[in-house]
Amino acid sequence: MKFKKIIELVNVWKTYQVGAVEVNALRGINFSVKKGEFVAIQGPSGSGKSTAMHLIGCLDLPTKGKVYLEGKDISCMSESLLAQIRGKKVGFVFQQFNLIQNLTALENVALPMIFQGVNEKERIKKARNLLELVELGDRVNHYPNQLSGGEQQRVAIARALANDPDIILADEPTGNLDSKAGKEIIDILFTLHKKEKKTIVMVTHDNRLAKYAHRIVHIKDGKVIRGE
Amino acid sequence: MNNVLKYSISNLLSRKGRSFLTILSILIGIAAIVALSSFGLGIKYYMEDIARTMGADKIMIMPKDYATALGESNVEFTERDLDFLKRIKGVDEATGMIVSVGKVKFKDYKEVYPYVTGISTNSKERRLAEEMFVGYGIIEGRTLKKGDVLKATLGYNYLIPNNLFKKPVSLGDKIKINDIEVEVVGFYEEIGNPQDDSNVYLSLEGAKKILGKENYFFILLRAAPDQNVAELGNRIKEKFRKYRDQKEGEEDFFVQTYEEIIETYGSVINIFIGVLVLIALISVFVAAVNIANTMYSSILERTQEIGIMKAIGAKNRFIALMFMFEAGILGLVGGGIGILLGYGIAKVGGIMAASAGLSMLKPAFPLWLITGCLVFAFLVGSFSGLFPAIQASKLKPVDTLRYE
């Protein structure tokens, strides 16, 4: 299989101002992800792996360096343009699920499609299909607090798939789940990778999950130390 | 747009308690504005209505110290004064009125002290006085005619039990004015204010005899149809001043056209309404602060939600609109309920005023007042939500998700 670079970070620095102190979360990080790859990012807490994830997902901009998404430099884009891009190209799965509490499972899954201007009929149809895909077809009208952790994370995966993005970013997706539910989530992600050819970047400190990945990138002190 | 709106509504419904309190705060302000304005407008329309039905061809001449005490002036106008005024070019009709406070007694009931007014029995002259002061017409009995000396017509309130006297006065009853017995021959229609509706009317001859006065307190003129009333008023003022041998600016009388009187009352009412509405506006301002406060705390609570929405593709505009709509809806709903409440208060107030003889206090609800208040409430809401909304939309998604 021939891989094309879909994400590329070139000498990226991210500096936060904490009070009077400057904290370098990333110190000239370089790495790329090819289309269709399944990459795990590992590192101790505070290593900068979440920051790297945010940059890949267009949630944040680098202090220095370039971030390319499908060859386009996003480092200088406006917030609205970034929102558009991440809505369309990137699907997020968070450790805390991050569903919106006063929306049903169906509404949560349909929400990203609103931002891309998909009409209501199509939104509902697609959201229903996606919930069936994650085996929650009988839970569409449940609110997040009526669902178990594993179910909530599956809703979140369905939501991540709403706009049919090429890239799925998962930040400790099983961190808040028991091992059985965690296994189910990983299976879904792995199936998406295998069958739908989705590019998956997953932050995890769980070595068992990391095994599923093509490649493991190790980050420490804001630098890639292995797997670049 | 539609989606933002739906989302905003579901957000508000999920925080019912707080939404209710915020709505309550704007509701009170809008209800106050509607109730106060409707009364003000009612009085204004009442005045305009009087002006329309009575016409603006009338000019009144009255003593300069009139304001101090009606009927107790040092200046009076004589028959010669009246003749002089009658002969001025452009004056169609003229009549004098004698006015004084009188002691009125009916049967054994406690005496009352209303205004007792002597008016001409000449039908044209009487009509002039009636148009200006007395009221619309006779409701029972007849008007005063030539030769009526110990006869009186009464204001509407004498027909109502427990108003002036315990029992109502009837046609043919005898009442005592300043201890002189007169017969009641008619009653006037309701004017709508208790003072005018308590008046007692005599013929000029009767007034001279009973009140012991020779001269007039007011002189009323009607301008000829082709006359400019304001110009005529000025001309009369100058001629009458010279006739009375007084210097300019030192006249002991006023010349006022009916238009001026209506205008003066109109502007007093406008100021009155203005002050009341201003007070109500303060409460709307407090409500605006309250809405802004609600929105700010809502943003704090929902920082994470804003972050999630941004992460999954919401643009700044969506977030800003969402909060603006929420604030606007709070305003709109508060305004809507406020209008209903204000309407109710004004209606009840109007009924109470009417039963107290103040039928001129009849609230009016023109469409522009209702729609104006509704739009205003929505705008106040949206504007209060503007700054919180902008702040929310500018939150960086990564900052809002940083807790991880």
Side-chain angles (χ1 to χ4, degrees):
Chain A
M1 209 195 309
K2 196 184 171 194
F3 289 120
K4 213 171 92 187
K5 277 180 193 171
I6 190 162
I7 301 160
E8 193 175 13
L9 273 62
V10 181
N11 190 28
V12 167
W13 287 72
K14 185 72 200 179
T15 308
Y16 293 109
Q17 193 78 35
V18 182
V21 188
E22 285 193 345
V23 178
N24 289 310
L26 297 177
R27 304 155 183 260
I29 202 169
N30 286 292
F31 87 88
S32 57
V33 177
K34 287 169 186 149
K35 196 169 165 63
E37 242 189 326
F38 191 148
V39 177
I41 300 176
Q42 282 200 298
S45 67
S47 60
K49 57 186 193 304
S50 282
T51 305
M53 185 76 144
H54 292 150
L55 290 170
I56 294 167
C58 306
L59 281 174
D60 206 355
L61 294 172
T63 313
K64 218 160 71 182
K66 301 276 184 201
V67 177
Y68 295 98
L69 190 73
E70 293 187 319
K72 260 185 263 171
D73 182 9
I74 61 148
S75 323
C76 314
M77 282 186 180
S78 72
E79 169 54 31
S80 277
L81 209 54
L82 282 177
Q84 189 75 20
I85 289 175
R86 64 179 171 254
K88 206 158 139 187
K89 302 272 181 195
V90 185
F92 287 94
V93 180
F94 300 96
Q95 181 176 359
Q96 277 86 354
F97 325 134
N98 280 352
L99 298 175
I100 291 176
Q101 294 299 316
N102 55 344
L103 297 183
T104 63
L106 189 76
E107 288 165 342
N108 263 292
V109 177
L111 192 58
M113 289 185 265
I114 290 180
F115 305 136
Q116 300 300 322
V118 179
N119 72 49
E120 186 172 1
K121 210 175 140 195
E122 211 169 306
R123 285 201 305 261
I124 290 175
K125 193 176 148 203
K126 185 151 187 204
R128 217 174 264 281
N129 287 342
L130 288 169
L131 283 168
E132 271 162 23
L133 183 79
V134 295
E135 292 172 8
L136 287 173
D138 56 340
R139 288 280 209 261
V140 289
N141 290 323
H142 285 59
Y143 286 90
N145 59 12
Q146 297 168 319
L147 299 170
S148 71
E151 287 171 330
Q152 287 192 53
Q153 194 61 304
R154 281 188 273 155
V155 174
I157 291 174
R159 181 179 67 184
L161 295 169
N163 289 319
D164 211 10
D166 293 326
I167 309 162
I168 307 258
L169 297 182
D171 194 351
E172 303 273 12
T174 61
N176 277 13
L177 301 175
D178 60 43
S179 57
K180 183 171 168 283
K183 174 79 168 60
E184 282 169 9
I185 295 300
I186 281 299
D187 285 344
I188 293 172
L189 288 175
F190 197 68
T191 310
L192 286 173
H193 165 65
K194 277 279 173 206
K195 289 196 177 157
E196 313 273 334
K197 306 283 180 245
K198 300 284 182 202
T199 308
I200 296 185
V201 180
M202 177 171 71
V203 170
T204 181
H205 58 261
D206 187 336
N207 289 325
R208 283 173 306 166
L209 296 188
K211 277 191 312 206
Y212 286 86
H214 285 153
R215 189 154 63 94
I216 302 174
V217 178
H218 289 273
I219 296 182
K220 197 182 171 190
D221 297 331
K223 281 182 181 162
V224 176
I225 53 167
R226 211 167 350 119
E228 196 170 314
Chain B
M1 203 76 150
N2 204 1
N3 294 312
V4 190
L5 198 60
K6 271 191 204 162
Y7 195 74
S8 299
I9 292 170
S10 92
N11 278 328
L12 291 174
L13 289 178
S14 68
R15 297 172 176 79
K16 286 196 192 71
R18 189 190 302 163
S19 299
F20 170 75
L21 288 176
T22 313
I23 285 170
L24 191 66
S25 69
I26 187 143
L27 180 160
I28 293 167
I30 295 290
I33 290 180
V34 169
L36 295 173
S37 306
S38 67
F39 274 117
L41 287 167
I43 296 172
K44 211 173 146 144
Y45 291 163
Y46 173 84
M47 298 289 297
E48 282 170 6
D49 192 43
I50 289 176
R52 235 194 334 275
T53 52
M54 296 192 172
D57 58 351
K58 285 174 276 299
I59 298 169
M60 179 161 70
I61 296 166
M62 55 187 164
K64 205 153 213 174
D65 55 0
Y66 153 76
T68 52
L70 186 59
E72 299 300 327
S73 169
N74 298 318
V75 181
E76 288 179 331
F77 306 112
T78 61
E79 200 66 39
R80 279 189 58 218
D81 292 334
L82 181 61
D83 274 344
F84 174 81
L85 290 164
K86 247 182 206 168
R87 284 198 308 273
I88 292 176
K89 199 169 160 267
V91 174
D92 228 12
E93 294 164 16
T95 188
M97 285 171 79
I98 295 171
V99 180
S100 181
V101 172
K103 184 173 87 173
V104 177
K105 198 156 169 53
F106 174 52
K107 293 186 175 159
D108 289 332
Y109 306 121
K110 193 176 171 2
E111 71 270 16
V112 292
Y113 293 87
Y115 286 118
V116 179
T117 304
I119 52 177
S120 172
T121 49
N122 168 304
S123 69
K124 272 187 167 180
E125 291 177 6
R126 190 189 63 228
R127 193 67 230 152
L128 181 59
E130 283 177 344
E131 280 179 17
M132 196 109 179
F133 281 104
V134 177
Y136 305 107
I138 286 287
I139 190 174
E140 228 180 274
R142 61 168 178 86
T143 52
L144 294 165
K145 62 183 186 198
K146 202 159 187 277
D148 283 343
V149 180
L150 295 179
K151 303 262 159 79
T153 49
L154 304 180
Y156 180 80
N157 282 356
Y158 290 91
L159 287 171
I160 301 171
N162 293 317
N163 194 306
L164 286 142
F165 300 112
K166 192 158 181 271
K167 289 266 168 61
V169 180
S170 312
L171 285 178
D173 277 350
K174 300 272 198 289
I175 59 171
K176 276 186 180 165
I177 304 171
N178 292 355
D179 300 322
I180 298 174
E181 196 171 78
V182 298
E183 183 192 345
V184 176
V185 296
F187 293 93
Y188 276 100
E189 274 181 87
E190 186 180 16
I191 298 172
N193 85 66
Q195 184 184 312
D196 288 345
D197 285 327
S198 306
N199 282 354
V200 172
Y201 304 98
L202 301 167
S203 65
L204 287 171
E205 297 77 23
K208 284 173 187 168
K209 188 178 170 82
I210 293 168
L211 301 175
K213 294 205 175 213
E214 273 305 312
N215 296 323
Y216 300 119
F217 189 73
F218 286 129
I219 290 180
L220 307 177
L221 308 173
R222 190 193 297 280
D226 59 338
Q227 288 294 314
N228 177 322
V229 181
E231 274 176 24
L232 178 63
N234 287 334
R235 213 159 63 231
I236 291 168
K237 186 178 174 186
E238 197 184 326
K239 291 198 167 178
F240 198 42
R241 173 169 59 80
K242 284 180 182 159
Y243 172 77
R244 289 172 81 84
D245 202 19
Q246 289 167 351
K247 282 188 191 147
E248 193 165 1
E250 290 177 8
E251 303 92 340
D252 60 0
F253 64 92
F254 269 127
V255 175
Q256 253 194 322
T257 65
Y258 199 77
E259 263 176 347
E260 282 171 348
I261 297 171
I262 293 283
E263 253 169 47
T264 310
Y265 274 109
S267 53
V268 169
I269 288 167
N270 279 341
I271 292 167
F272 184 65
I273 298 173
V275 170
L276 292 178
V277 169
L278 202 69
I279 294 167
L281 276 176
I282 293 171
S283 67
V284 172
F285 179 74
V286 174
V289 174
N290 195 19
I291 291 182
N293 188 28
T294 301
M295 297 324 290
Y296 273 120
S297 52
S298 179
I299 288 165
L300 282 183
E301 260 173 29
R302 286 152 68 188
T303 303
Q304 192 193 342
E305 180 186 327
I306 296 165
I308 297 166
M309 292 183 78
K310 285 195 151 190
I312 61 175
K315 290 183 186 171
N316 289 359
R317 211 169 62 104
F318 185 95
I319 306 286
L321 272 179
M322 180 173 87
F323 281 98
M324 288 273 287
F325 274 147
E326 283 180 32
I329 291 167
L330 288 175
L332 198 63
V333 174
I337 302 173
I339 286 168
L340 290 178
L341 185 69
Y343 180 86
I345 292 170
K347 274 278 172 198
V348 171
I351 292 166
M352 282 164 60
S355 67
L358 286 162
S359 63
M360 64 186 285
L361 277 179
K362 192 176 162 215
F365 308 94
L367 192 63
W368 62 260
L369 177 70
I370 305 297
T371 48
C373 281
L374 212 54
V375 171
F376 178 64
F378 178 70
L379 290 180
V380 166
S382 305
F383 188 74
S384 318
L386 183 65
F387 294 103
I390 290 172
Q391 192 195 329
S393 75
K394 286 203 173 143
L395 288 172
K396 282 192 190 156
V398 71
D399 292 338
T400 57
L401 295 168
R402 181 78 59 76
Y403 62 89
E404 284 167 289

PDB file of all heavy atoms in Angstrom, chain B residues 169-189:
ATOM      1  N   VAL B 169     -79.785  62.835  44.030  1.00  0.00           N
ATOM      2  CA  VAL B 169     -80.743  63.926  43.870  1.00  0.00           C
ATOM      3  C   VAL B 169     -81.613  63.593  42.660  1.00  0.00           C
ATOM      4  O   VAL B 169     -81.120  63.037  41.676  1.00  0.00           O
ATOM      5  CB  VAL B 169     -79.985  65.256  43.651  1.00  0.00           C
ATOM      6  CG1 VAL B 169     -80.964  66.418  43.488  1.00  0.00           C
ATOM      7  CG2 VAL B 169     -79.024  65.514  44.813  1.00  0.00           C
ATOM      8  N   SER B 170     -82.897  63.900  42.726  1.00  0.00           N
ATOM      9  CA  SER B 170     -83.786  63.629  41.586  1.00  0.00           C
ATOM     10  C   SER B 170     -84.328  64.937  41.027  1.00  0.00           C
ATOM     11  O   SER B 170     -84.270  65.991  41.675  1.00  0.00           O
ATOM     12  CB  SER B 170     -84.966  62.769  42.004  1.00  0.00           C
ATOM     13  OG  SER B 170     -84.540  61.670  42.744  1.00  0.00           O
ATOM     14  N   LEU B 171     -84.869  64.847  39.815  1.00  0.00           N
ATOM     15  CA  LEU B 171     -85.509  66.019  39.207  1.00  0.00           C
ATOM     16  C   LEU B 171     -86.609  66.524  40.117  1.00  0.00           C
ATOM     17  O   LEU B 171     -87.368  65.731  40.675  1.00  0.00           O
ATOM     18  CB  LEU B 171     -86.111  65.646  37.843  1.00  0.00           C
ATOM     19  CG  LEU B 171     -85.129  65.465  36.683  1.00  0.00           C
ATOM     20  CD1 LEU B 171     -85.903  65.061  35.429  1.00  0.00           C
ATOM     21  CD2 LEU B 171     -84.347  66.726  36.428  1.00  0.00           C
ATOM     22  N   GLY B 172     -86.694  67.837  40.234  1.00  0.00           N
ATOM     23  CA  GLY B 172     -87.746  68.427  41.061  1.00  0.00           C
ATOM     24  C   GLY B 172     -87.366  68.548  42.528  1.00  0.00           C
ATOM     25  O   GLY B 172     -88.035  69.248  43.279  1.00  0.00           O
ATOM     26  N   ASP B 173     -86.282  67.892  42.926  1.00  0.00           N
ATOM     27  CA  ASP B 173     -85.827  68.027  44.332  1.00  0.00           C
ATOM     28  C   ASP B 173     -85.370  69.454  44.596  1.00  0.00           C
ATOM     29  O   ASP B 173     -84.952  70.173  43.697  1.00  0.00           O
ATOM     30  CB  ASP B 173     -84.644  67.082  44.581  1.00  0.00           C
ATOM     31  CG  ASP B 173     -85.115  65.667  44.899  1.00  0.00           C
ATOM     32  OD1 ASP B 173     -86.326  65.475  45.117  1.00  0.00           O
ATOM     33  OD2 ASP B 173     -84.257  64.752  44.907  1.00  0.00           O
ATOM     34  N   LYS B 174     -85.458  69.800  45.844  1.00  0.00           N
ATOM     35  CA  LYS B 174     -84.966  71.129  46.246  1.00  0.00           C
ATOM     36  C   LYS B 174     -83.609  70.968  46.936  1.00  0.00           C
ATOM     37  O   LYS B 174     -83.445  70.095  47.794  1.00  0.00           O
ATOM     38  CB  LYS B 174     -85.948  71.775  47.239  1.00  0.00           C
ATOM     39  CG  LYS B 174     -87.356  71.968  46.693  1.00  0.00           C
ATOM     40  CD  LYS B 174     -87.477  73.309  45.986  1.00  0.00           C
ATOM     41  CE  LYS B 174     -88.920  73.766  45.788  1.00  0.00           C
ATOM     42  NZ  LYS B 174     -89.674  73.010  44.793  1.00  0.00           N
ATOM     43  N   ILE B 175     -82.652  71.797  46.539  1.00  0.00           N
ATOM     44  CA  ILE B 175     -81.381  71.825  47.272  1.00  0.00           C
ATOM     45  C   ILE B 175     -81.148  73.255  47.737  1.00  0.00           C
ATOM     46  O   ILE B 175     -81.762  74.191  47.223  1.00  0.00           O
ATOM     47  CB  ILE B 175     -80.191  71.350  46.393  1.00  0.00           C
ATOM     48  CG1 ILE B 175     -80.050  72.224  45.144  1.00  0.00           C
ATOM     49  CG2 ILE B 175     -80.332  69.880  46.009  1.00  0.00           C
ATOM     50  CD1 ILE B 175     -78.777  71.943  44.359  1.00  0.00           C
ATOM     51  N   LYS B 176     -80.271  73.423  48.723  1.00  0.00           N
ATOM     52  CA  LYS B 176     -79.971  74.785  49.208  1.00  0.00           C
ATOM     53  C   LYS B 176     -78.550  75.152  48.797  1.00  0.00           C
ATOM     54  O   LYS B 176     -77.605  74.419  49.089  1.00  0.00           O
ATOM     55  CB  LYS B 176     -80.100  74.835  50.722  1.00  0.00           C
ATOM     56  CG  LYS B 176     -81.521  75.059  51.166  1.00  0.00           C
ATOM     57  CD  LYS B 176     -81.584  75.261  52.660  1.00  0.00           C
ATOM     58  CE  LYS B 176     -83.032  75.489  53.078  1.00  0.00           C
ATOM     59  NZ  LYS B 176     -83.175  75.333  54.539  1.00  0.00           N
ATOM     60  N   ILE B 177     -78.454  76.284  48.072  1.00  0.00           N
ATOM     61  CA  ILE B 177     -77.130  76.797  47.727  1.00  0.00           C
ATOM     62  C   ILE B 177     -76.927  78.080  48.511  1.00  0.00           C
ATOM     63  O   ILE B 177     -77.729  79.018  48.376  1.00  0.00           O
ATOM     64  CB  ILE B 177     -77.016  77.079  46.213  1.00  0.00           C
ATOM     65  CG1 ILE B 177     -77.358  75.811  45.414  1.00  0.00           C
ATOM     66  CG2 ILE B 177     -75.614  77.567  45.856  1.00  0.00           C
ATOM     67  CD1 ILE B 177     -77.485  76.043  43.932  1.00  0.00           C
ATOM     68  N   ASN B 178     -75.872  78.125  49.303  1.00  0.00           N
ATOM     69  CA  ASN B 178     -75.637  79.254  50.208  1.00  0.00           C
ATOM     70  C   ASN B 178     -76.935  79.627  50.936  1.00  0.00           C
ATOM     71  O   ASN B 178     -77.320  80.793  51.004  1.00  0.00           O
ATOM     72  CB  ASN B 178     -75.079  80.468  49.451  1.00  0.00           C
ATOM     73  CG  ASN B 178     -73.677  80.199  48.936  1.00  0.00           C
ATOM     74  OD1 ASN B 178     -73.080  79.142  49.223  1.00  0.00           O
ATOM     75  ND2 ASN B 178     -73.126  81.132  48.174  1.00  0.00           N
ATOM     76  N   ASP B 179     -77.623  78.582  51.419  1.00  0.00           N
ATOM     77  CA  ASP B 179     -78.847  78.702  52.210  1.00  0.00           C
ATOM     78  C   ASP B 179     -80.050  79.219  51.428  1.00  0.00           C
ATOM     79  O   ASP B 179     -81.078  79.550  52.033  1.00  0.00           O
ATOM     80  CB  ASP B 179     -78.630  79.586  53.458  1.00  0.00           C
ATOM     81  CG  ASP B 179     -77.553  78.988  54.351  1.00  0.00           C
ATOM     82  OD1 ASP B 179     -77.521  77.729  54.466  1.00  0.00           O
ATOM     83  OD2 ASP B 179     -76.715  79.744  54.891  1.00  0.00           O
ATOM     84  N   ILE B 180     -79.919  79.310  50.107  1.00  0.00           N
ATOM     85  CA  ILE B 180     -81.091  79.714  49.310  1.00  0.00           C
ATOM     86  C   ILE B 180     -81.618  78.488  48.576  1.00  0.00           C
ATOM     87  O   ILE B 180     -80.856  77.753  47.956  1.00  0.00           O
ATOM     88  CB  ILE B 180     -80.708  80.830  48.306  1.00  0.00           C
ATOM     89  CG1 ILE B 180     -80.220  82.062  49.085  1.00  0.00           C
ATOM     90  CG2 ILE B 180     -81.887  81.169  47.389  1.00  0.00           C
ATOM     91  CD1 ILE B 180     -79.689  83.172  48.225  1.00  0.00           C
ATOM     92  N   GLU B 181     -82.900  78.260  48.658  1.00  0.00           N
ATOM     93  CA  GLU B 181     -83.472  77.045  48.096  1.00  0.00           C
ATOM     94  C   GLU B 181     -83.664  77.182  46.582  1.00  0.00           C
ATOM     95  O   GLU B 181     -84.202  78.166  46.110  1.00  0.00           O
ATOM     96  CB  GLU B 181     -84.817  76.759  48.762  1.00  0.00           C
ATOM     97  CG  GLU B 181     -85.277  75.350  48.527  1.00  0.00           C
ATOM     98  CD  GLU B 181     -86.502  75.026  49.386  1.00  0.00           C
ATOM     99  OE1 GLU B 181     -87.613  75.454  49.025  1.00  0.00           O
ATOM    100  OE2 GLU B 181     -86.327  74.342  50.413  1.00  0.00           O
ATOM    101  N   VAL B 182     -83.183  76.169  45.847  1.00  0.00           N
ATOM    102  CA  VAL B 182     -83.397  76.155  44.394  1.00  0.00           C
ATOM    103  C   VAL B 182     -83.924  74.783  43.978  1.00  0.00           C
ATOM    104  O   VAL B 182     -83.700  73.786  44.659  1.00  0.00           O
ATOM    105  CB  VAL B 182     -82.105  76.484  43.602  1.00  0.00           C
ATOM    106  CG1 VAL B 182     -81.590  77.868  43.898  1.00  0.00           C
ATOM    107  CG2 VAL B 182     -81.030  75.448  43.886  1.00  0.00           C
ATOM    108  N   GLU B 183     -84.553  74.764  42.804  1.00  0.00           N
ATOM    109  CA  GLU B 183     -85.125  73.520  42.306  1.00  0.00           C
ATOM    110  C   GLU B 183     -84.204  72.933  41.244  1.00  0.00           C
ATOM    111  O   GLU B 183     -83.652  73.654  40.402  1.00  0.00           O
ATOM    112  CB  GLU B 183     -86.512  73.803  41.700  1.00  0.00           C
ATOM    113  CG  GLU B 183     -87.198  72.538  41.223  1.00  0.00           C
ATOM    114  CD  GLU B 183     -88.434  72.859  40.375  1.00  0.00           C
ATOM    115  OE1 GLU B 183     -88.911  74.012  40.396  1.00  0.00           O
ATOM    116  OE2 GLU B 183     -88.887  71.934  39.679  1.00  0.00           O
ATOM    117  N   VAL B 184     -84.048  71.609  41.300  1.00  0.00           N
ATOM    118  CA  VAL B 184     -83.187  70.941  40.326  1.00  0.00           C
ATOM    119  C   VAL B 184     -84.020  70.607  39.091  1.00  0.00           C
ATOM    120  O   VAL B 184     -85.045  69.954  39.184  1.00  0.00           O
ATOM    121  CB  VAL B 184     -82.583  69.647  40.927  1.00  0.00           C
ATOM    122  CG1 VAL B 184     -81.763  68.907  39.869  1.00  0.00           C
ATOM    123  CG2 VAL B 184     -81.717  69.986  42.134  1.00  0.00           C
ATOM    124  N   VAL B 185     -83.542  71.093  37.913  1.00  0.00           N
ATOM    125  CA  VAL B 185     -84.324  70.874  36.697  1.00  0.00           C
ATOM    126  C   VAL B 185     -83.617  69.979  35.675  1.00  0.00           C
ATOM    127  O   VAL B 185     -84.208  69.582  34.677  1.00  0.00           O
ATOM    128  CB  VAL B 185     -84.708  72.214  36.021  1.00  0.00           C
ATOM    129  CG1 VAL B 185     -85.612  73.013  36.930  1.00  0.00           C
ATOM    130  CG2 VAL B 185     -83.473  72.998  35.617  1.00  0.00           C
ATOM    131  N   GLY B 186     -82.342  69.683  35.895  1.00  0.00           N
ATOM    132  CA  GLY B 186     -81.652  68.830  34.903  1.00  0.00           C
ATOM    133  C   GLY B 186     -80.311  68.325  35.400  1.00  0.00           C
ATOM    134  O   GLY B 186     -79.773  68.821  36.406  1.00  0.00           O
ATOM    135  N   PHE B 187     -79.850  67.303  34.708  1.00  0.00           N
ATOM    136  CA  PHE B 187     -78.520  66.749  35.031  1.00  0.00           C
ATOM    137  C   PHE B 187     -77.692  66.637  33.763  1.00  0.00           C
ATOM    138  O   PHE B 187     -78.212  66.270  32.704  1.00  0.00           O
ATOM    139  CB  PHE B 187     -78.667  65.353  35.651  1.00  0.00           C
ATOM    140  CG  PHE B 187     -79.312  65.371  37.002  1.00  0.00           C
ATOM    141  CD1 PHE B 187     -80.686  65.211  37.126  1.00  0.00           C
ATOM    142  CD2 PHE B 187     -78.550  65.570  38.149  1.00  0.00           C
ATOM    143  CE1 PHE B 187     -81.296  65.227  38.358  1.00  0.00           C
ATOM    144  CE2 PHE B 187     -79.162  65.585  39.387  1.00  0.00           C
ATOM    145  CZ  PHE B 187     -80.542  65.423  39.503  1.00  0.00           C
ATOM    146  N   TYR B 188     -76.390  66.909  33.908  1.00  0.00           N
ATOM    147  CA  TYR B 188     -75.496  66.786  32.751  1.00  0.00           C
ATOM    148  C   TYR B 188     -74.899  65.372  32.669  1.00  0.00           C
ATOM    149  O   TYR B 188     -74.801  64.672  33.681  1.00  0.00           O
ATOM    150  CB  TYR B 188     -74.349  67.803  32.852  1.00  0.00           C
ATOM    151  CG  TYR B 188     -74.760  69.153  32.325  1.00  0.00           C
ATOM    152  CD1 TYR B 188     -75.138  70.180  33.190  1.00  0.00           C
ATOM    153  CD2 TYR B 188     -74.766  69.388  30.950  1.00  0.00           C
ATOM    154  CE1 TYR B 188     -75.515  71.413  32.700  1.00  0.00           C
ATOM    155  CE2 TYR B 188     -75.146  70.628  30.457  1.00  0.00           C
ATOM    156  CZ  TYR B 188     -75.516  71.633  31.329  1.00  0.00           C
ATOM    157  OH  TYR B 188     -75.899  72.850  30.843  1.00  0.00           O
ATOM    158  N   GLU B 189     -74.475  65.021  31.444  1.00  0.00           N
ATOM    159  CA  GLU B 189     -73.813  63.733  31.222  1.00  0.00           C
ATOM    160  C   GLU B 189     -72.469  63.675  31.967  1.00  0.00           C
ATOM    161  O   GLU B 189     -71.905  64.723  32.300  1.00  0.00           O
ATOM    162  CB  GLU B 189     -73.503  63.567  29.725  1.00  0.00           C
ATOM    163  CG  GLU B 189     -74.635  63.000  28.915  1.00  0.00           C
ATOM    164  CD  GLU B 189     -74.206  62.869  27.468  1.00  0.00           C
ATOM    165  OE1 GLU B 189     -73.616  61.831  27.124  1.00  0.00           O
ATOM    166  OE2 GLU B 189     -74.419  63.820  26.702  1.00  0.00           O
TER     167      GLU B 189
END
